[in-house]
C-alpha cells in the first residue's frame, strides 16, 4: 500500500507564493515520475508540472517561469514552488506518482488534493 500526502495549500493574495509538498510512503521500491496536476471548478484536471527520477522536468505552458517543481528522492517527496500567483491558479492541486513496487510492477497513485485559492 502506498500513500501520497500533500500539504502547503491555502489562501494567498495575488502576487504571493506558496510551496506545495507531497510525500509518498509505503511499500516503495522506487518512484519514476512525480507530477502535479490541478483541477479548477468546472474544468478538467490538467498537468501542471512533472519531474523524473533523473530530475528532468516539464511544465504546462501556463506556468513556465512561474512554478518550479523539485524532488527529494531520499524522502520520496516532490515539491511545487508557486510564485507570482494569479486568481486563475485557483484550483485543487493533486500529486501523482508512478511508483515501482517491490515486485517491480508500476502503479499510479494520487494524493487527496490540496486547495489553493488566490484572491485578487
Amino acid at each position: 500500500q502506498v500513500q501520497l500526502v500533500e500539504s502547503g495549500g491555502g489562501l494567498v493574495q495575488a502576487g504571493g507564493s506558496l510551496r506545495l509538498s507531497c510525500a509518498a510512503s509505503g511499500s516503495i521500491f522506487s518512484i519514476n515520475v512525480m507530477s502535479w496536476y490541478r483541477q479548477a471548478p468546472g474544468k478538467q484536471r490538467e498537468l501542471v508540472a512533472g519531474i523524473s527520477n533523473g530530475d528532468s522536468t516539464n511544465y504546462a505552458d501556463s506556468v513556465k517561469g512561474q512554478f518550479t517543481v523539485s524532488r527529494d528522492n531520499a524522502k520520496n517527496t516532490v515539491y511545487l514552488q508557486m510564485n507570482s500567483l494569479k486568481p486563475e491558479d485557483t484550483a485543487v492541486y493533486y500529486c501523482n506518482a508512478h511508483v515501482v513496487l517491490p515486485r517491480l510492477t508500476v502503479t499510479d497513485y494520487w494524493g487527496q488534493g490540496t486547495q489553493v485559492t488566490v484572491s485578487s
Side-chain angles (χ1 to χ4, degrees):
Q1 187 76 1
V2 173
Q3 288 187 323
L4 301 183
V5 178
E6 298 139 340
S7 60
L11 174 64
V12 64
Q13 288 189 334
S17 298
L18 283 175
R19 188 191 194 210
L20 305 183
S21 300
C22 172
S25 62
S27 299
I28 297 170
F29 178 78
S30 66
I31 303 177
N32 293 335
V33 179
M34 300 187 82
S35 304
W36 289 97
Y37 287 74
R38 66 185 180 186
Q39 187 166 19
K43 294 188 177 181
Q44 289 189 329
R45 190 173 297 190
E46 63 174 357
L47 175 66
V48 175
I51 183 167
S52 71
N53 55 8
D55 288 339
S56 295
T57 59
N58 65 290
Y59 295 92
D61 288 342
S62 59
V63 305
K64 284 180 180 177
Q66 182 190 358
F67 291 1
T68 302
V69 63
S70 60
R71 65 190 283 174
D72 183 334
N73 291 328
K75 296 181 179 179
N76 288 329
T77 299
V78 63
Y79 305 96
L80 186 68
Q81 178 66 44
M82 304 186 294
N83 297 328
S84 303
L85 284 162
K86 310 166 188 173
E88 51 263 43
D89 294 317
T90 295
V92 178
Y93 284 70
Y94 296 92
C95 173
N96 173 271
H98 295 176
V99 178
V100 181
L101 301 175
R103 292 189 176 185
L104 302 185
T105 56
V106 180
T107 304
D108 223 23
Y109 290 92
W110 290 89
Q112 79 285 357
T114 186
Q115 177 70 47
V116 171
T117 303
V118 184
S119 63
S120 56

